[in-house]
Amino acid sequence: MNIKQQLLKLTDSQLKERKQAKNDYFYYKGKCQDEQRAISDPDTIGQSWTVSDNLDYVPAQDIRNKVGPLLRKQARFMFSVPPDILFKPYDAKDKDECEALRQFVDKILTDNGFWSDTLKAFLDCTVRRRVLLRIEANPEQPINIFYNSINDFTYRTTSSNYKKLQEIILVVQEPDTADLEQDKQVWYRHTYTLQKITCTHKIEIFTGGNFDKPISTETIDTKLDKLPAWVILNDAMLGEIHGQSDVTGLRDAQNSYNRKVSDYADALRFNMFGERVIIDADEDSVNNCKVAPGAIIPLKSIDEHTADAKRLESSFTSAEPAEKFLDRAEKDMYEMLDMPRQEELKKVPSAKALKYLYNDLIARCNEKWNTWEPVIKELIRLIIECCSKFNCYREWDHKWDDLQFNIVFNHNYPIPEDIDDKKDLAMQEVQNNVRSHKSYIKDFSNIEDVDGEMDEIIKDIANITAAENEQMVPADNNTE
């Protein structure tokens, strides 16, 4: 048990789960990177495997990692393009204030590198089952947003509602002491506890190699009525509080793929060269044979037998079945993640058909959004509450404190679209007065000041109309 696990006070079942999560992580990474470490810690062996020593040759281990790239593709599809977040007010008069608030919150997320970290956290979550999203907000200080992996925290839910967190324990190390000896390292244990409608934050500091008793303890009232952290589970079943790894479903196909590729490599190696066969020759003369181009083989016959030497050429006839097997295994992994293969995308005639191919992956990601979106919405609500209570930013406008609005997410998946067709359709909607000019400008231009652009358009229309009216007025005929 390492220091972090000791401070988290993990049970046997929790240690077992983290052991499996560690195994999943190294499996996701692919080939074993440290063979000596894998001997003492088998969970780090990744997709490699142990080989018997009682062999006349070293079997190939040709690892073709498909799991890692597939899970990274899934993460990029989810979060490489951040969603559009809209604040829709319940009262139309608050529209401008809600938009100003949205831009302020968006800047806080950008300053924290939130969407970039979210992509990494999502990938980690799909591999190691869950992540922790948390917020740090102190008076007169900017808000900080962090993600933590499964090894950094543990948690407890309420007895009446398994969906509601009651306590979160987080362990972090002082970065400057990471490379020091154990007795000089400094560790912090943060315990967030929700008691009725009050959240407390206990901070314990450990050092000197004694991790059973802290050198100092401080308990703070956070002034919040909720925990400033959320546990995000990957593909949790009903009533489950731990989550599942996407690696699990890909293991069998990946193992079969690696083994078959390795067997294929060995078969090629053994069948690439022919074999010399010598019959009825003296042992000494056989041992003195030279294997070289054009070499003469001086054979001495045994007794009355006639020595003979010939060559057997090999043939490899299993190539096609092996290729079919590998193609099937790879296809199975793509199907498990509802992801189209490159071969399918090459024959797509239009962007509309391309979107149809991605339909299953979109549905899969929408399902994962059902877990992530409510958490990010709660994060945004808490950011607003902390800015209101703790004056985290001087630019904060307290008119935003009591705004009533709904948060709407528009998911942006990186699928090529027929932009010209969409523009034509949107233009027709504008002409038929079922879509506003502002909406068209906002969706199909890079202009930030939509209102300013509208003013320019109105002026241009007014000038054009005035010019046309002047041309239509007949000139005065002056007669004497």
Side-chain angles (χ1 to χ4, degrees), residues 56-278:
D56 294 332
Y57 72 102
V58 179
Q61 284 200 26
D62 196 343
I63 308 298
R64 303 296 177 90
N65 184 12
K66 302 290 182 179
V67 171
L70 280 174
L71 292 180
R72 287 193 290 273
K73 275 186 179 182
Q74 177 181 248
R76 289 196 298 269
F77 194 81
M78 271 284 285
F79 287 110
S80 64
V81 182
D84 295 325
I85 302 178
L86 306 176
F87 290 1
K88 293 195 172 182
Y90 296 139
D91 192 332
K93 68 179 178 61
D94 295 329
K95 182 178 180 181
D96 292 339
E97 292 297 336
C98 281
E99 176 59 18
L101 173 59
R102 185 201 66 78
Q103 292 183 15
F104 195 92
V105 171
D106 186 62
K107 185 178 184 304
I108 294 174
L109 297 178
T110 301
D111 290 344
N112 279 275
F114 177 73
W115 293 113
S116 175
D117 288 346
T118 298
L119 189 153
K120 299 171 188 174
F122 174 81
L123 178 58
D124 190 273
C125 187
T126 58
V127 174
R128 295 193 277 194
R129 308 185 183 196
R130 58 182 176 269
V131 293
L132 179 73
L133 170 63
R134 61 188 177 92
I135 180 175
E136 287 186 2
N138 297 303
E140 310 295 335
Q141 295 182 19
I143 287 175
N144 293 312
I145 304 171
F146 301 96
Y147 282 101
N148 291 92
S149 69
I150 185 174
N151 295 321
D152 296 340
F153 69 96
T154 186
Y155 56 98
R156 182 165 54 91
T157 60
T158 62
S159 57
S160 58
N161 186 354
Y162 71 91
K163 296 180 181 180
K164 187 175 182 180
L165 292 174
Q166 185 169 6
E167 184 177 77
I168 293 175
I169 301 174
L170 172 70
V171 172
V172 294
Q173 184 179 10
E174 180 67 46
D176 295 339
T177 67
D179 298 328
L180 301 179
E181 297 178 0
Q182 183 171 309
D183 60 345
K184 296 181 180 179
Q185 295 177 3
V186 179
W187 291 79
Y188 300 89
R189 182 165 64 197
H190 302 267
T191 304
Y192 296 90
T193 306
L194 186 63
Q195 299 173 343
K196 294 183 179 180
I197 58 171
T198 302
C199 175
T200 60
H201 177 200
K202 183 169 71 172
I203 305 172
E204 298 169 283
I205 303 177
F206 298 84
T207 191
N210 183 4
F211 302 107
D212 294 323
K213 185 177 180 180
I215 60 171
S216 69
T217 301
E218 181 184 7
T219 302
I220 303 170
D221 182 358
T222 64
K223 309 298 183 183
L224 300 173
D225 59 358
K226 59 179 71 67
L227 293 174
W230 301 264
V231 176
I232 305 175
L233 306 178
N234 182 62
D235 289 347
M237 300 296 288
L238 190 64
E240 189 179 66
I241 61 172
H242 299 111
Q244 302 179 37
S245 173
D246 286 354
V247 172
T248 303
L250 299 169
R251 274 181 180 269
D252 289 343
Q254 179 69 72
N255 287 338
S256 296
Y257 194 95
N258 290 338
R259 295 278 185 168
K260 192 59 64 179
V261 168
S262 300
D263 292 344
Y264 196 180
D266 283 336
L268 286 174
R269 180 171 58 172
F270 284 120
N271 286 277
M272 191 177 294
F273 307 101
E275 294 183 356
R276 295 181 183 274
V277 178
I278 299 176

Side-chain angles (χ1 to χ4, degrees), residues 43 59 153 166 408 419:
D43 291 318
F153 69 96
Q166 185 169 6
V408 177
I419 190 67

Side-chain angles (χ1 to χ4, degrees), residues 68 166 202 277 282 314 384 424 431:
Q166 185 169 6
K202 183 169 71 172
V277 178
D282 178 75
S314 64
I384 295 171
D424 291 341
Q431 292 171 352

